[in-house]
Amino acid sequence: MEILAFGVQSDEKPLIEKAFAGKHEVRCLDVFLNRDTAPIAAGYEIISTSVNADLGSSVLQTLAAGGTQMIAQRSTGFNNIDLDVAERLAMRVARVSSYSPHSVAEFAWTLAMAVNRRVIRAAGRTRDFDFRLDGLLGRDMHGRTAGVVGTGKIGEAFTRIAHGFGMNLLGWDVAENPACVELGMRYVDKDQLLAESDLISLHVPLLPSTHHVIGKDALARMKDDAILINSSRGGLVDTTALVGELRAGRFLGVGLDVYEAEAGLFFLDKSIEGIDDDTLARLVTFPNVIVTSHQAYYTEDAVGQIIEATVQNVDDYLARRRSANVLVPAPPGP
């Protein structure tokens, strides 16, 4: 069986090829799956996709017409997939239900400390041999309050690091995590968390109920000198509203590893042609904002686990086995 993998990064390619070696042939493409590239998959029963793939109705129909029967997405999130259409087309869809939560939690803290201690500005200055400290004043995290929005595996890992800093812990989620409670977390309503937290980090999935969970009203409730970190999904934050608050001089810092309109931008080199996204272009001009291109998961450990799970998803499909990774099951065999 030859498998076609879309959106493969150069660091990822040897890991994928090694994981599939001896089992299946794999053809790795650096292009991302969308309406323009979907015809490439013609003749491939199984394809693998990245988190920014377009798996909407038209793409799925093109894939199905070309003979694709199974999609193995190399991510936990699946808001980019029209599962109803996939089911109607009798296509099996699987994802990676979990991988190292430490990769994302540690990167969220990397962003938090970088904006707090003005690391990007400081490094830029020293390259120009400007060793002044003006404008680089940060603050201790010890004794301040961390608000964790979403306390699943990644939120718990973030909380453990916050506990190590000696922070007060507030949480908001549909259910309490006993491990977080044991660390001293108090669960409160969202408005209280926003109003009292010095650092707010988002770790919830993107669902209709969480879309723009940090919108205009939520931003208004936050402290003027709060730090906001989003390493989950871009759609959790109303970016236009955030830019408005930043223009008004609010927030000590903002760290974003995701952006609600990142598809077609992130993972690509736009340095020559530029971008026509005025919101993102304005966002990156603020000196207290750091934007990275969806790399929080990108560690050897996490990527290795993602690939291992993807190989298992393919094996399960061929053996007609079900697992917790299956979003849309294949139709019953003969």
Side-chain angles (χ1 to χ4, degrees):
M1 177 72 67
E2 185 177 22
I3 297 153
L4 183 63
F6 285 92
V8 177
Q9 305 295 316
S10 59
D11 296 327
E12 189 183 13
K13 183 178 179 180
L15 300 177
I16 290 178
E17 292 175 338
K18 181 179 179 180
F20 277 102
K23 289 190 172 185
H24 311 286
E25 293 183 20
V26 59
R27 179 186 174 196
C28 294
L29 302 179
D30 59 2
V31 298
F32 295 93
L33 179 62
N34 54 41
R35 284 181 293 179
D36 295 329
T37 60
I40 300 174
Y44 287 90
E45 180 179 342
I46 302 172
I47 68 167
S48 178
T49 57
S50 61
V51 66
N52 273 352
D54 176 359
L55 284 161
S57 177
S58 63
V59 172
L60 289 172
Q61 291 179 51
T62 299
L63 293 173
T68 299
Q69 298 179 36
M70 194 270 178
I71 298 168
Q73 175 140 300
R74 302 187 307 279
S75 72
T76 298
F78 54 91
N79 52 284
N80 61 318
I81 308 172
D82 192 325
L83 298 179
D84 292 334
V85 172
E87 186 171 13
R88 287 202 305 271
L89 294 170
M91 302 175 74
R92 175 155 169 165
V93 180
R95 60 155 178 169
V96 178
S97 57
S98 65
Y99 56 86
S100 169
H102 308 292
S103 60
V104 179
E106 290 171 6
F107 193 80
W109 268 106
T110 300
L111 291 175
M113 295 308 295
V115 296
N116 175 38
R117 301 306 300 267
R118 316 299 190 190
V119 172
I120 303 300
R121 178 184 290 183
R125 282 186 183 178
T126 55
R127 278 194 292 267
D128 293 331
F129 306 115
D130 178 354
F131 302 107
R132 293 172 301 158
L133 297 182
D134 297 342
L136 303 182
L137 188 67
R139 63 188 184 187
D140 291 357
M141 288 296 182
H142 181 85
R144 287 187 162 82
T145 299
V148 186
V149 178
T151 55
K153 292 180 180 179
I154 296 174
E156 179 186 331
F158 184 91
T159 300
R160 290 188 182 280
I161 298 171
H163 179 262
F165 272 106
M167 301 187 75
N168 303 311
L169 306 171
L170 298 180
W172 178 75
D173 208 331
V174 293
E176 296 185 3
N177 182 334
C180 292
V181 173
E182 187 175 345
L183 291 169
M185 175 173 280
R186 289 190 299 116
Y187 279 84
V188 296
D189 62 43
K190 186 179 70 171
D191 288 350
Q192 182 177 348
L193 182 148
L194 295 172
E196 296 182 8
S197 297
D198 300 295
L199 166 65
I200 296 168
S201 191
L202 310 181
H203 301 289
V204 292
L206 180 59
L207 304 168
S209 59
T210 60
H211 181 255
H212 285 183
V213 67
I214 303 298
K216 184 177 180 180
D217 292 342
L219 291 165
R221 290 187 174 91
M222 291 169 56
K223 294 181 177 181
D224 288 343
D225 61 351
I227 294 173
L228 174 65
I229 303 297
N230 186 12
S231 58
S232 185
R233 286 294 181 267
L236 300 178
V237 177
D238 182 341
T239 317
T240 300
L242 175 61
V243 168
E245 297 298 315
L246 289 165
R247 290 183 64 185
R250 299 190 65 221
F251 307 137
L252 177 67
V254 174
L256 304 175
D257 184 52
V258 287
Y259 172 59
E260 57 183 327
E262 69 183 53
L265 293 174
F266 283 16
F267 306 145
L268 300 172
D269 183 358
K270 298 289 185 177
S271 60
I272 296 176
E273 63 188 276
I275 63 172
D276 57 7
D277 187 322
D278 292 340
T279 302
L280 179 58
R282 181 67 178 96
L283 190 62
V284 298
T285 65
F286 291 104
N288 58 335
V289 174
I290 296 177
V291 178
T292 53
S293 54
H294 208 139
Q295 71 179 81
Y297 78 99
Y298 207 52
T299 66
E300 292 180 5
D301 310 81
V303 171
Q305 292 167 17
I306 289 169
I307 293 170
E308 288 175 6
T310 300
V311 173
Q312 187 62 53
N313 287 341
V314 170
D315 289 344
D316 287 345
Y317 163 76
L318 294 172
R320 293 195 170 274
R321 291 190 298 261
R322 292 291 300 273
S323 77
N325 289 340
V326 175
L327 298 170
V328 179

